[in-house]
Amino acid sequence: MNSDNLMDLALSKGREALEAQEVPVGCIFSIGSEIIAESRNTVNETRNPTRHAEINCIDQVLKYCNDNNVEPLTIFKDIRVTVTVEPCIMCAQALNNVGVAEVIYGCVNDRFGGKTVFDVSKVNDKFYRLEGDVMASNAMDLLKRFYEGTNPSAPKPKIKKNKEVK
């Protein structure tokens, strides 16, 4: 499968996330033309801030390896990650820790990006190949649609009351 086909699948997962009122990020792990794992953000659904699409895919691969008595590093070293948004700092480091070969992303993550905000590759001896701007406008459109609405799971803002000073 080429980058555009894989990104189409990741965007589909991102749309699922949007429908579930999650930040619309979708992710596909593949080796050659075979899809190994696929997921979307599930942070609100699970009430767990670490349940990003990439982490969910990592867990799927680890479960497969555990169930089939396969050494995870033998699988991860060949994985190409296709994700709609540049991995955040947490996910960028996690992907590096498991040793994926390559990450292809849609749009830049200018708030939390593991390349844009803090270049995670600079603190590692070895790092995966990184390529961005693949169908970026499609990925950005999903994010815009999400941020036009409100996040029902977001904490309520605390409004400071004017206190009288005596």
Side-chain angles (χ1 to χ4, degrees):
M1 282 190 166
N2 67 31
S3 293
D4 285 351
N5 292 353
L6 290 167
M7 188 59 75
D8 279 334
L9 293 172
L11 286 164
S12 176
K13 287 292 180 187
R15 284 188 289 279
E16 284 179 24
L18 182 63
E19 289 170 16
Q21 297 183 320
E22 298 278 357
V23 176
V25 177
C27 185
I28 306 293
F29 279 22
S30 60
I31 297 176
S33 61
E34 184 181 359
I35 293 173
I36 304 301
E38 55 185 84
S39 193
R40 62 173 177 83
N41 278 8
T42 58
V43 170
N44 294 335
E45 179 182 317
T46 61
R47 298 184 185 275
N48 181 336
T50 68
R51 300 320 309 171
H52 293 193
E54 301 95 327
I55 302 299
N56 291 336
C57 283
I58 288 171
D59 284 350
Q60 288 175 28
V61 173
L62 290 172
K63 182 180 182 333
Y64 169 83
C65 290
N66 189 48
D67 291 350
N68 294 284
N69 200 27
V70 175
E71 172 57 42
L73 294 179
T74 63
I75 302 266
F76 281 114
K77 70 179 180 57
D78 295 322
I79 287 179
R80 169 197 250 183
V81 176
T82 305
V83 62
T84 56
V85 179
E86 171 192 357
C88 70
I89 296 165
M90 173 187 73
C91 290
Q93 187 60 48
L95 292 168
N96 191 68
N97 286 352
V98 297
V100 300
E102 174 178 38
V103 174
I104 310 292
Y105 66 87
C107 65
V108 166
N109 183 345
D110 60 4
R111 295 181 64 190
F112 307 108
K115 175 74 174 169
T116 303
V117 174
F118 176 80
D119 190 351
V120 175
S121 70
K122 299 241 191 269
V123 296
N124 288 282
D125 295 332
K126 182 178 175 281
F127 206 69
Y128 50 78
R129 191 175 93 65
L130 183 65
E131 178 187 335
D133 201 29
V134 175
M135 301 175 72
S137 62
N138 300 52
M140 185 57 72
D141 287 345
L142 282 176
L143 289 173
K144 285 178 183 175
R145 285 177 43 205
F146 176 78
Y147 287 110
E148 283 172 356
T150 59
N151 180 348
S153 297
K156 303 290 181 234
K158 293 181 180 178
I159 300 171
K160 292 184 179 180
K161 296 178 183 175
N162 290 335
K163 292 184 179 181
E164 235 178 79
V165 179
K166 293 184 179 182

